[in-house]
Structure formats: C-alpha cells, structure tokens
Amino acid sequence: MPRGKRRAAEIGDTMDAQSKRARTSYTNIGTQQSSRRHIRAEDGFSQKRCLAWFQEYTTPDEPDTLGPDGMEKFCCDIGCSPENIVMLVLAYKMGATQMGFFSQQEWLKGLTDLECDSTAKMVVKLDYLRSILNDPNLFKSIYRYAYDFAKDSDQRSMDIATAKAMLQLLLGKQWPLFPQFAQFLEQSKYKVINKDQWCNILEFSRTISMDLSNYDIDGAWPVMLDEFVEWLRLQRGLVIVSSGSS
C-alpha cells in the first residue's frame, strides 16, 4: 500500500475505533478518580518516577521508545482516547516528532514541564491541556505543529486523506464552513496539501464570514481557497435555483 494511503488508513482505523477504546478507557475512571483524591500538593515531581512510568509502556526491544501499543495503553490509563485532541496538545508539549510514538527524551521534556510523573497527576492535567486550545496564539502554534507531526516525515506535503482527518480534529467543531470545505476537498483534484495551504486554511476559517462577503478574490490567498469560494458560491447558487423552481 502506498505510504500516503497507509497513513490515511491508520488514521481512519483509529477514528473508527474511538467508541470501542472509549468504552475500554472508561472502565478505569473509578480508579483514576480514586487516585486523584490521593494526590498531595507536597508530592513533588520526580524524574526517576517519571522514567519508571515511561518504562511501563515500552518493550525490552525498544526501551527508549513508546510505540503504538504503549500509546494505546497510556491513553487507556489516563482515560483519554488516542484520537482526542488533548493527545495532540500533549504531543505538542513534548515536541514529539512522529504520530503514535514518544521517545524517552520527548516524554521527559513534556512531563517535566507539566510536572507529571504518574497517571494520577496526568489525569489532573487533562483539563489544563484542553484549556490551552482556548488561547488563539497557542492554538495557532499547535495547528502549525500538527502539519509536520501528522505528515509522513519523508514527504514535503500531507496527503489529502490525512489532511482531512487532522482538519476535522482541529477545526471540525469551530469552523462552520468545515463540512463544505471537506466536501470541496473530496471532489477536488487535490491529492496533497502543502504547508502554505495548511496555514492559510486556519487564517481563512478565522477571518472569512459564513456568507463569504469579505473574501477578496484578489487577495494573497492560495488558489485552493479561491477555488473553494468559487465552488461554494456555485453550490449555494444551485440550491437557490433548485428551491425557487420547486
């Protein structure tokens, strides 16, 4: 299978498994809530404890890398599905370079900053990680980080299927035009999205109104977005004609 399609299939399989994994993770919530009650303010961060925690998710063959199986167990332990956007924020805090993997160095970097050395402490931090997304500047940084994080490391651009999955994760709940944009991508000629297009999609989602009235066709937008606006206006025009003739 071509690498791009394989990456898209992996993301698709992950999202399809969300309900199953969520049911599994929820079985741990009682234990997590109990653990939370026993956290004490004076329990300072311990790098030794943090490393021991990391090793719970690695294998003897790769002791310095937390891979997909370990990632699933880690997510289950903290009660957060792998495809939850909070996991992307955590990866950003760690400076992780590859989706589905944390190196020991990345783990220590991120969790030292968060002062987390146990499952119980990580559970407490989930709301904080989620709140980071409310800061427009930090969200922009995470959005840009997601491009290099999710694309294949040996490719300059992100394949369209992966891009749609990541855009759904990042913008699906906050950009009213996302469903139309996803539909546009589905029927378009585009097979990949480059970083300039990726960054401009966020800017477009933040600045252009639902009715597209403030979109300047002569502005510095990528051709992709010019084509999206033209396509959407045509779709809306066809809807008006259709409803008027019925």
Side-chain angles (χ1 to χ4, degrees):
M1 182 183 294
R3 182 179 291 271
K5 291 184 179 179
R6 184 169 65 249
R7 172 58 65 87
E10 290 170 354
I11 292 178
D13 290 343
T14 298
M15 289 191 168
D16 288 341
Q18 180 174 5
S19 297
K20 180 178 179 182
R21 286 171 175 164
R23 288 194 298 272
T24 302
S25 65
Y26 293 157
T27 62
N28 294 313
I29 288 178
T31 301
Q32 291 158 2
Q33 290 176 339
S34 176
S35 298
R36 187 184 299 202
R37 287 194 295 269
H38 289 87
I39 297 174
R40 299 175 301 173
E42 61 268 25
D43 288 343
F45 175 79
S46 164
Q47 186 177 91
K48 181 179 179 180
R49 197 159 52 228
C50 188
L51 281 172
W53 184 31
F54 176 77
Q55 289 161 5
E56 292 179 18
Y57 305 110
T58 62
T59 65
D61 292 338
E62 295 185 283
D64 297 329
T65 302
L66 188 160
D69 290 341
M71 188 70 71
E72 188 164 349
K73 183 178 185 299
F74 170 65
C75 290
C76 183
D77 286 349
I78 65 173
C80 186
S81 61
E83 59 273 21
N84 192 305
I85 195 169
V86 170
M87 293 304 297
L88 177 63
V89 180
L90 179 59
Y92 167 79
K93 294 290 287 184
M94 291 186 181
T97 58
Q98 184 179 4
M99 184 182 290
F101 296 83
F102 293 149
S103 70
Q104 179 175 289
Q105 182 178 2
E106 291 165 351
W107 176 275
L108 279 177
K109 174 185 179 295
L111 297 189
T112 298
D113 180 56
L114 291 170
E115 297 186 342
C116 284
D117 54 19
S118 67
T119 300
K121 290 182 181 179
M122 188 73 253
V123 170
V124 171
K125 287 289 185 179
L126 293 179
D127 286 342
Y128 163 71
L129 292 172
R130 197 172 286 110
S131 73
I132 289 175
L133 296 165
N134 297 326
D135 183 309
N137 291 326
L138 286 175
F139 182 90
K140 183 175 182 179
S141 295
I142 293 167
Y143 178 90
R144 292 192 170 202
Y145 160 80
Y147 183 84
D148 292 316
F149 178 62
K151 77 176 182 65
D152 287 324
S153 58
D154 59 350
Q155 300 294 321
R156 294 185 62 184
S157 298
M158 182 187 291
D159 70 90
I160 201 71
T162 301
K164 286 193 295 183
M166 294 304 294
L167 288 169
Q168 171 71 56
L169 180 68
L170 287 155
L171 300 179
K173 293 182 178 180
Q174 60 176 281
W175 183 25
L177 290 178
F178 175 76
Q180 292 91 329
F181 186 68
Q183 186 180 355
F184 162 74
L185 291 178
E186 189 69 33
Q187 60 81 54
S188 75
K189 65 180 184 293
Y190 292 100
K191 305 300 181 186
V192 298
I193 286 183
N194 63 41
K195 194 160 190 177
D196 180 64
Q197 292 166 335
W198 177 264
C199 294
N200 274 280
I201 289 168
L202 175 62
E203 191 64 23
F204 183 101
S205 74
R206 288 179 163 184
T207 60
I208 302 303
S209 61
M210 278 281 290
D211 63 5
L212 307 175
S213 59
N214 62 335
Y215 185 80
D216 182 4
I217 195 71
D218 296 319
W221 298 106
V223 172
M224 170 187 281
L225 292 173
D226 289 337
E227 293 174 349
F228 168 59
V229 169
E230 182 180 0
W231 175 85
L232 184 54
R233 284 174 173 166
L234 179 60
Q235 297 301 307
R236 288 173 172 175
L238 288 173
V239 170
I240 292 172
V241 170
S242 176
S243 61
S245 62
S246 59

